[in-house]
Amino acid sequence: MNNKGILTVVSGFSGAGKGTVMKKLMENYDNYALSISMTTRAPRTGETHGKEYFFSTREEFEQKIEAGQLLEYACYCDNYYGTPREYVEEQLAAGKDVILEIEIQGALKIKQQCPDCLLLFVTPPSAKELEKRLVGRGTETMEVISKRLSRATEESEGIEAYDYIVINDDLEACVKELHSIVQNAHNTVERRAEFIKEIREELKQFSKGAK
Ligand code: ADP
Ligand code: 5GP
């Protein structure tokens, strides 16, 4: 039995609903560990240090890079974002399915380091709905929203690098679908190599005994 957890990277346009989907996934199921990233962006109203992000200065962030304490990092709309290495490695070793909610450059770096990770791309059903969600969230100025929408246009060119696309139309349905993709990944033949070896061995012994 392969007890090591699955590393899943979830990306998607800003405003697609990734944060909302992740929150529900954590509420509905037990075996997930959500990595908390470090960022130099300012906290939004209601965000707290250590919950949504570890908020840091540029200097602190650059020290973490130097010390090799980030699994990956990227610059997104003028701010640094990065994944603290230690938590991810500990949780995977403990058998947890670890989720990184990160943008595409980071996702590609993770795939290079960990080829058996899963890359999922979450998208709203349409561009109009994306704009509606970004405006409706009410956390960014129109200037930042338009920067994020133009970034989304670029990001849409990279979707083929992902293993699955998950459309976040109905929230509950989206969460269920995401969960079932991760659970199915536990049963790929690569991940069940140990079990396959065992049953082959048992069958050999069995047929020897039957002779
Ligand atoms: P992201 O983390 O991808 O930037 P958020 O989780 O902050 O996006 O969601 C953006 C906005 O869209 C929020 O106001 C959220 O409540 C809303 N939202 C998320 N999922 C859905 C959904 N399935 N249907 C309608 N609105 C949604
Ligand atoms: P936001 O400012 O909306 O919270 O996040 C902006 C973007 O940064 C989102 O696409 C989010 O997925 C991404 N992001 C968050 N944390 C990380 C991280 O640790 N690494 C990378 N590469 N991207 C991240």
Side-chain angles (χ1 to χ4, degrees), residues 89-125:
E89 293 179 346
E90 272 173 16
Q91 296 296 312
L92 284 174
K96 289 275 186 184
D97 291 329
V98 176
I99 311 261
L100 310 184
E101 195 242 282
I102 66 179
E103 53 69 69
I104 186 162
Q105 306 166 69
L108 298 179
K109 286 186 207 153
I110 295 289
K111 189 76 179 180
Q112 276 174 357
Q113 292 179 61
C114 173
D116 68 349
C117 72
L118 271 180
L119 297 191
L120 311 190
F121 197 90
V122 174
T123 162

Side-chain angles (χ1 to χ4, degrees), residues 13-20 101 129 133 136-137 168-171:
F13 314 125
S14 179
K18 301 176 300 294
T20 310
E101 195 242 282
E129 176 66 17
R133 287 183 191 174
R137 187 166 68 190
N168 175 24
D169 190 355
D170 177 77
L171 180 63

Side-chain angles (χ1 to χ4, degrees), residues 35-42 49-65 69-76 79-85 101-102:
S35 161
I36 301 172
S37 296
M38 196 167 176
T39 184
T40 58
R41 112 157 138 62
H49 182 77
K51 194 161 168 253
E52 286 80 10
Y53 282 106
F54 296 109
F55 296 98
S56 83
T57 61
R58 270 191 111 75
E59 291 69 35
E60 283 165 344
F61 198 102
E62 282 164 0
Q63 276 166 14
K64 293 270 175 193
I65 299 173
Q69 289 172 0
L70 300 178
L71 202 52
E72 64 71 42
Y73 69 93
C75 207
Y76 174 94
N79 281 300
Y80 276 135
Y81 292 80
T83 305
R85 179 187 295 280
E101 195 242 282
I102 66 179

Side-chain angles (χ1 to χ4, degrees), residues 1-198:
M1 179 74 184
N2 183 354
N3 285 322
K4 203 169 159 275
I6 289 181
L7 181 59
T8 300
V9 176
V10 175
S11 305
F13 314 125
S14 179
K18 301 176 300 294
T20 310
V21 170
M22 290 308 110
K23 193 163 172 262
K24 262 261 161 285
L25 187 77
M26 299 302 134
E27 277 168 21
N28 291 4
Y29 306 100
D30 281 340
N31 200 44
Y32 291 102
L34 181 63
S35 161
I36 301 172
S37 296
M38 196 167 176
T39 184
T40 58
R41 112 157 138 62
R44 293 181 185 130
T45 312
E47 284 184 336
T48 36
H49 182 77
K51 194 161 168 253
E52 286 80 10
Y53 282 106
F54 296 109
F55 296 98
S56 83
T57 61
R58 270 191 111 75
E59 291 69 35
E60 283 165 344
F61 198 102
E62 282 164 0
Q63 276 166 14
K64 293 270 175 193
I65 299 173
E66 287 293 309
Q69 289 172 0
L70 300 178
L71 202 52
E72 64 71 42
Y73 69 93
C75 207
Y76 174 94
C77 294
D78 310 325
N79 281 300
Y80 276 135
Y81 292 80
T83 305
R85 179 187 295 280
E86 197 178 349
Y87 176 80
V88 174
E89 293 179 346
E90 272 173 16
Q91 296 296 312
L92 284 174
K96 289 275 186 184
D97 291 329
V98 176
I99 311 261
L100 310 184
E101 195 242 282
I102 66 179
E103 53 69 69
I104 186 162
Q105 306 166 69
L108 298 179
K109 286 186 207 153
I110 295 289
K111 189 76 179 180
Q112 276 174 357
Q113 292 179 61
C114 173
D116 68 349
C117 72
L118 271 180
L119 297 191
L120 311 190
F121 197 90
V122 174
T123 162
S126 67
K128 191 92 206 106
E129 176 66 17
L130 179 64
E131 189 194 27
K132 192 174 148 209
R133 287 183 191 174
L134 268 175
V135 174
R137 187 166 68 190
T139 49
E140 273 91 5
T141 59
M142 274 323 281
E143 193 196 338
V144 174
I145 289 178
S146 99
K147 229 180 194 177
R148 284 175 178 240
L149 282 172
S150 91
R151 182 63 180 241
T153 314
E154 289 165 28
E155 285 175 340
S156 71
E157 294 300 325
I159 297 177
E160 280 89 351
Y162 287 74
D163 299 308
Y164 294 90
I165 180 160
V166 184
I167 297 174
N168 175 24
D169 190 355
D170 177 77
L171 180 63
E172 286 292 344
C174 175
V175 170
K176 262 194 195 153
E177 196 176 328
L178 207 143
H179 176 66
S180 74
I181 291 171
V182 178
Q183 293 321 297
N184 286 336
H186 278 282
N187 293 320
T188 58
V189 287
E190 290 83 8
R191 286 199 169 266
R192 301 310 303 266
E194 200 56 37
F195 172 82
I196 295 167
K197 206 169 128 203
E198 271 168 32

